[in-house]
């Protein structure tokens, strides 16, 4: 039931005892403020982490070649290993049950121009599967397809920022871009969550690039993703097997670390997962720590408040106040103050995060923010703790014989 | 109005206990004005507290207005205090963040009266003690005598059957004391039963009956000729 008189009593008490009200309010507001900011920053760190690694499929394997560092099978050290199309076919064939997507890569740098706009971009010649390995998202048009490969079409797919640079406000689809003197037709525009650099890339069919730039079947690098059904151990086993097979295929010593390199993202992912777990634990510890500090603070203040009000309680009892009315007046007052203060703390905390959030990216903190339900939960915990901390002494005070409370001190 | 039989009370002090009241028999009729006298430690305040239901006796019988006061729950005690008793304390015991009017209205709040009624009634009682113009002042803005008058108005507001005063003039100078006593006499004239603890002989003589305590027993209980105080207000 809404008792207007009770609320009048409470508001008067809050209003006339401002120091006391501010003190308890400040404790809660500050605890929630700290909680919000710390949690927000921790979340920001985690966001950075996730963003850094979301870019490439986590089940990726990169296969790179270099110069051998050891002599093997009568071959001298320093021999250059060059992948060719047949190696791509070999892997695709040999591991067909484990490979999900596979693509070759040839890297080049090109000067691109459209009308008066000019710029230098990285060009990567790829298989159609590359879209899934790199997690490119088609914004407009289509990706490189099988037909492009077979017919060595002069079609390209460009990143969102390439389109922005060269075409300003126009749509690039169907237009021709000049790459090092040859005209290519833009068939698609893609976006990538990996950041700006990933969107300043031009993709070309592998066969086209091999034909135009050297007329060979060389490959710089191969990327593949393995079947998501493989667990961590199986994935490692797969990449180890792949490494061994490739090394023997190219007569590279089994402990040569340079000739052929296979990098399995699973290992990195594992590390990232552990890091994220560590971060989560730290966040939880910080959160609980702040919360406990807040609880201790508000409990102390509640005990102090009840102590301070003992005489008033005695007077009220002498005038006919029931224990229940005394407990409720103290509790509702403290709940009201802590709830409002908690909300204020939350608002300030969120405001601070909003304000400084974007300037923290230098410190690897991206989009620091908090889950609202989490902070509400924390506020409610504090309010509840305050109420509990107030309830016990209030109940005790309500049982005090008025004469003890009224004794001259 | 009030009957007390074989009342005992002791307080624990460390491991031993202090026997404060050792069998008190006392009976007060309606309309009486009784002073309870005794040196400090004689048990007079304890007796008043038990009568005021602020404290409980260990054994003995206490009947107030035909009602046996025993093993009261806190809630019941609160209701009885509110209905039957008005308190006046030596140190006034006003709530310091409430103004005079709000202090007087507080027992009415606990009686469940509506706000408007409370304020009217409180104003009426403040008028009776001559503080209409001070209604919206906080206790710290009032003199000692004024504070005690607010306290008296508050004690009267709930229209109690019995008015209990614990050294009501103890913190006041002679002139103000007389002023307050004049009020209390006037209240008694209007029919209120008054029980007062004091250790001042002249204050006690302003009552109609003096009960003397020493070491927890009544050593004397006599009617006196009331000394009237001149009206100052």
């Amino acid at each position: 039931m809404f008792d207007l008189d009770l609320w009048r009593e409470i508001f008067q008490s809050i209003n006339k005892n401002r120091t006391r009200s501010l003190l308890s309010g400040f404790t809660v507001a500050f605890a929630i403020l700290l909680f919000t900011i710390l949690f927000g920053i921790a979340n920001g760190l985690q966001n950075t982490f996730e963003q850094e690694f979301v870019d490439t499929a986590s089940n990726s394997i990169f296969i790179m070649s270099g110069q051998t560092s050891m002599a093997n099978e009568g071959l001298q050290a320093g021999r250059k290993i060059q992948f060719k199309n047949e190696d791509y076919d070999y892997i695709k064939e040999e591991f067909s049950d484990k490979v999900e997507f596979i693509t070759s890569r040839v890297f080049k740098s090109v000067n691109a121009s459209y009308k008066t706009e000019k710029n230098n971009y990285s060009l990567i010649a790829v298989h159609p599967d590359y879209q899934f390995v790199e997690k490119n998202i088609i914004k407009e048009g289509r990706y490189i397809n099988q037909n492009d490969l077979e017919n060595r079409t002069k079609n390209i797919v460009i990143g969102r920022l390439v389109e922005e640079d060269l075409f300003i406000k126009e749509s690039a689809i169907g237009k021709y871009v000049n790459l090092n003197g040859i005209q290519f037709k833009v068939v698609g525009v893609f976006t990538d969550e990996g950041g700006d650099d990933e969107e300043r890339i031009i993709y070309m069919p592998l066969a086209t690039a091999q034909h135009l730039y050297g007329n060979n079947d060389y490959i710089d690098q191969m990327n593949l993703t393995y079947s998501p059904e493989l667990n961590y151990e199986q994935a490692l086993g797969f990449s180890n097997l792949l490494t061994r097979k490739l090394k023997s295929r190219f007569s590279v010593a089994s402990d040569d670390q340079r000739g052929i390199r296979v990098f399995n993202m699973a290992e990195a992912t594992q590390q990232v997962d552990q890091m994220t777990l560590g971060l989560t634990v730290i966040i939880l510890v910080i959160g609980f720590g702040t919360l406990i500090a807040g609880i201790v603070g508000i409990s102390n203040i509640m005990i102090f408040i009840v102590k301070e009000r003992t005489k008033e309680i005695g007077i009220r009892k002498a005038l006919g106040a029931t224990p229940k009315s005394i407990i409720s007046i103290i509790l509702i007052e403290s709940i009201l103050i802590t709830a409002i203060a908690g909300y204020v703390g939350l608002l300030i905390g969120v405001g601070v995060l909003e304000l400084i959030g974007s300037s923290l990216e230098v410190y690897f903190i991206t989009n620091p923010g908090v889950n609202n339900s989490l902070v509400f939960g924390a506020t409610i915990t504090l309010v509840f703790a305050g109420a509990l901390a107030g309830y016990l002494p209030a109940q005790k005070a309500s049982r005090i014989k008025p004469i003890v409370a009224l004794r001259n001190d | 109005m009030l009957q007390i039989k074989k009342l005992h009370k002791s307080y624990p002090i460390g491991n031993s206990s202090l026997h404060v009241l050792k069998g008190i028999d006392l009976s007060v009729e309606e309309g009486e004005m009784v002073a309870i006298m005794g040196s400090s430690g004689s048990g007079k305040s304890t007796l008043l507290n038990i009568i005021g239901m602020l404290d409980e006796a260990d054994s003995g019988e206490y009947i107030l207005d035909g009602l046996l006061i025993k093993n009261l729950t806190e809630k019941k005690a609160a209701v009885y205090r509110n209905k039957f008793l008005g308190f006046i304390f030596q140190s006034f015991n006003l709530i310091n963040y409430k103004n005079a009017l709000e202090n007087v209205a507080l027992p009415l709040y606990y009686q469940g009266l509506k706000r408007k009624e409370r304020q009217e009634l409180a104003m009426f009682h403040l008028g009776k003690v001559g503080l209409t113009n001070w209604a919206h002042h906080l206790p710290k803005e009032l003199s000692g005598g004024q504070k005690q008058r607010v306290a008296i108005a508050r004690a009267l507001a709930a229209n109690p059957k019995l008015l209990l005063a614990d050294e009501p003039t103890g913190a006041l100078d002679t002139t103000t004391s007389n002023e307050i006593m004049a009020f209390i006499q006037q209240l008694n004239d209007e029919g209120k039963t008054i029980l007062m603890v004091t250790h001042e002989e002249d204050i006690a003589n302003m009552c109609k009956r003096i009960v003397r305590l020493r070491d927890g027993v009544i050593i004397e209980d006599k009617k006196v000729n009331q000394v009237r105080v001149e009206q100052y207000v």
Side-chain angles (χ1 to χ4, degrees):
Chain A
M1 197 192 79
F2 185 79
D3 184 348
L4 186 65
D5 282 326
L6 179 66
W7 286 97
R8 252 196 210 107
E9 279 286 310
I10 288 166
F11 279 118
Q12 185 183 38
S13 167
I14 291 177
N15 200 26
K16 295 287 171 70
N17 299 285
R18 289 210 183 119
T19 320
R20 191 171 76 197
S21 310
L22 282 178
L23 204 65
S24 46
F26 179 76
T27 310
V28 173
F30 198 68
I32 292 295
L33 175 70
L34 275 182
F35 184 82
T36 310
I37 291 181
L38 287 178
F39 240 92
I41 287 176
N43 277 342
L45 273 176
Q46 207 162 14
N47 287 344
T48 312
F49 247 85
E50 277 166 12
Q51 201 178 52
E52 290 293 309
F53 292 93
V54 78
D55 164 39
T56 311
S58 58
N59 56 340
S60 296
I61 290 177
F62 297 83
I63 305 161
M64 289 154 282
S65 61
Q67 290 187 336
T68 55
S69 59
M70 294 176 199
N72 193 39
E73 295 177 19
L75 297 164
Q76 288 222 320
R79 177 170 53 100
K80 189 176 185 303
I81 303 293
Q82 177 66 58
F83 292 140
K84 295 181 181 157
N85 283 349
E86 60 195 51
D87 301 314
Y88 165 86
D89 294 335
Y90 164 75
I91 294 174
K92 204 171 170 179
E93 197 87 349
E94 182 79 19
F95 300 100
S96 59
D97 56 331
K98 298 212 174 67
V99 171
E100 188 188 28
F101 300 110
I102 180 162
T103 176
S104 303
R105 300 214 277 187
V106 170
F107 299 100
K108 262 195 90 68
S109 172
V110 291
N111 288 312
S113 63
Y114 175 76
K115 289 186 181 166
T116 57
E117 300 299 324
K118 269 185 211 145
N119 211 340
N120 187 273
Y121 298 100
S122 337
L123 172 90
I124 307 179
V126 297
H127 282 101
D129 275 5
Y130 192 77
Q131 178 184 1
F132 307 109
V133 176
E134 186 58 31
K135 285 193 178 167
N136 290 144
I137 299 151
I138 285 297
K139 188 181 145 225
E140 218 180 332
R142 64 170 177 84
Y143 209 74
I144 308 287
N145 63 20
Q146 201 57 38
N147 183 51
D148 293 325
L149 274 184
E150 281 160 16
N151 298 318
R152 296 181 191 163
T153 59
K154 287 180 184 143
N155 290 342
I156 54 169
V157 176
I158 62 174
R160 180 181 64 88
L161 291 175
V162 179
E163 183 188 37
E164 247 173 55
D165 290 348
L166 295 181
F167 293 84
I168 318 290
K169 291 234 159 79
E170 289 177 61
S171 165
I173 302 293
K175 309 256 166 61
Y176 286 84
V177 177
N178 187 317
L179 300 181
N180 289 356
I182 303 166
Q183 296 281 39
F184 286 84
K185 186 181 178 187
V186 177
V187 294
V189 177
F190 71 90
T191 61
D192 193 298
E193 289 178 356
D196 288 359
D197 288 347
E198 304 278 331
E199 293 184 335
R200 284 214 162 86
I201 291 177
I202 299 172
Y203 291 123
M204 181 183 287
L206 180 75
T208 313
Q210 285 174 333
H211 179 67
L212 287 177
Y213 308 119
N215 201 11
N216 53 29
D217 62 349
Y218 287 177
I219 295 170
D220 290 339
Q221 204 187 78
M222 283 180 280
N223 289 14
L224 65 86
T225 59
Y226 50 81
S227 157
E229 276 150 34
L230 300 187
N231 63 27
Y232 178 63
E233 271 74 31
Q234 287 170 320
L236 279 189
F238 168 52
S239 56
N240 288 340
L241 179 67
L242 183 67
T243 317
R244 277 203 304 279
K245 292 239 175 179
L246 283 177
K247 279 181 176 169
S248 77
R249 186 176 163 87
F250 285 92
S251 309
V252 174
S254 59
D255 43 2
D256 187 334
Q257 303 292 327
R258 291 238 201 107
I260 287 175
R261 282 169 293 147
V262 174
F263 175 71
N264 192 338
M265 274 295 275
E267 288 174 72
T269 311
Q270 177 91 341
Q271 281 170 0
V272 172
D273 283 351
Q274 271 169 1
M275 206 78 148
T276 314
L277 183 74
L279 259 177
T280 312
V281 170
I282 290 172
I283 291 172
L284 281 180
V285 169
I286 289 173
F288 272 112
T290 324
L291 216 53
I292 286 170
I295 288 173
V296 170
I298 190 68
S299 304
N300 275 334
I301 287 173
M302 283 314 297
I303 291 167
F304 163 73
I305 284 177
V306 171
K307 198 111 198 139
E308 196 209 353
R309 294 185 82 165
T310 303
K311 188 159 180 141
E312 182 193 337
I313 291 168
I315 298 171
R316 284 176 184 271
K317 279 192 89 169
L319 296 179
T322 57
K324 201 181 127 203
S325 79
I326 283 167
I327 294 176
S328 63
I329 203 170
I330 292 179
L331 275 198
I332 294 176
E333 184 181 323
S334 71
I335 288 173
L336 198 70
I337 291 175
T338 48
I340 292 174
Y343 190 65
V344 169
L346 170 62
L347 284 187
I348 298 176
V350 170
V352 168
L353 286 181
E354 287 275 314
L355 219 67
I356 62 163
S358 50
S359 62
L360 289 179
E361 250 170 76
V362 203
Y363 307 105
F364 303 106
I365 293 163
T366 318
N367 286 331
V370 280
N371 188 339
N372 275 349
S373 59
L374 186 86
V375 181
F376 274 123
T379 312
I380 287 170
T381 310
L382 271 196
V383 170
F384 183 74
L388 191 72
Y391 179 75
L392 298 176
Q395 204 197 23
K396 211 171 132 204
S398 80
R399 286 215 201 102
I400 290 177
K401 294 205 161 69
I403 194 61
V404 178
L406 292 176
R407 200 165 278 160
N408 290 330
D409 38 357
Chain B
M1 180 78 212
L2 180 145
Q3 286 95 37
I4 287 172
K5 278 175 200 152
K6 295 197 181 64
L7 202 69
H8 284 267
K9 176 75 185 176
S10 44
Y11 288 110
I13 295 177
N15 289 330
S16 62
S17 77
L18 183 67
H19 204 169
V20 186
L21 297 180
K22 303 166 180 166
I24 302 284
D25 293 287
L26 180 69
S27 170
V28 177
E29 299 303 317
E30 200 161 342
E32 275 198 282
M33 184 170 178
V34 184
I36 300 172
M37 288 203 69
S39 54
S40 60
S42 61
K44 57 187 195 306
S45 285
T46 307
L47 179 60
L48 193 76
N49 288 331
I50 290 173
I51 293 172
M53 291 180 241
L54 297 175
D55 208 344
E56 256 176 63
D58 296 335
S59 68
E61 203 175 47
Y62 168 29
I63 294 169
L64 178 66
D65 203 32
L67 224 90
L68 181 66
I69 307 297
K70 196 160 192 166
N71 296 331
L72 290 182
T73 62
E74 284 276 5
K75 202 179 160 186
K76 236 180 179 156
V79 173
Y80 286 170
R81 274 200 290 271
N82 185 267
K83 219 159 95 181
F84 294 131
L85 303 170
F87 292 93
I88 302 167
F89 302 95
Q90 178 178 1
S91 51
F92 324 128
N93 281 332
L94 300 174
I95 292 179
N96 56 20
Y97 64 84
K98 286 177 176 291
N99 67 31
L101 186 68
E102 287 160 345
N103 263 294
V104 175
L106 200 58
L108 301 171
Y109 167 69
Y110 287 117
Q111 275 187 343
L113 260 64
K114 288 205 175 62
R115 185 175 158 83
K116 209 166 152 28
E117 288 177 71
R118 293 204 303 261
Q119 296 216 317
E120 278 169 10
L121 212 57
M123 208 47 156
F124 167 75
H125 285 289
L126 268 184
K128 270 189 89 171
V129 297
L131 288 175
T132 312
N133 294 333
W134 298 85
H136 298 288
H137 284 70
L138 289 173
K140 65 172 179 228
E141 297 161 343
L142 302 174
S143 71
Q146 286 172 322
K147 278 191 232 183
Q148 195 58 298
R149 280 192 277 162
V150 173
I152 291 173
R154 184 176 68 181
L156 291 175
N159 195 24
K161 292 191 157 55
L162 181 61
L163 209 57
L164 299 173
D166 187 4
E167 305 265 9
T169 59
L172 305 172
D173 59 50
T174 317
T175 322
T176 324
S177 291
N178 286 341
E179 223 175 271
I180 295 299
M181 283 312 292
F183 265 124
I184 296 177
Q185 283 184 344
Q186 191 191 331
L187 291 172
N188 181 242
D189 292 344
E190 290 166 12
K192 280 264 178 291
T193 316
I194 291 161
L195 216 64
M196 180 187 302
V197 163
T198 181
H199 63 265
E200 289 171 76
E201 206 62 51
D202 51 341
I203 296 288
N205 281 320
M206 294 173 191
C207 298
K208 293 174 179 167
R209 177 180 164 192
I210 298 177
V211 175
R212 279 181 210 278
L213 261 73
R214 185 184 293 159
D215 297 331
V217 289
I218 295 177
I219 52 164
E220 188 187 38
D221 185 349
K222 64 166 187 197
K223 297 236 154 87
V224 290
N225 285 325
Q226 190 181 31
V227 178
R228 296 294 299 190
V229 201
E230 225 179 292
Q231 275 287 14
Y232 287 91
V233 185

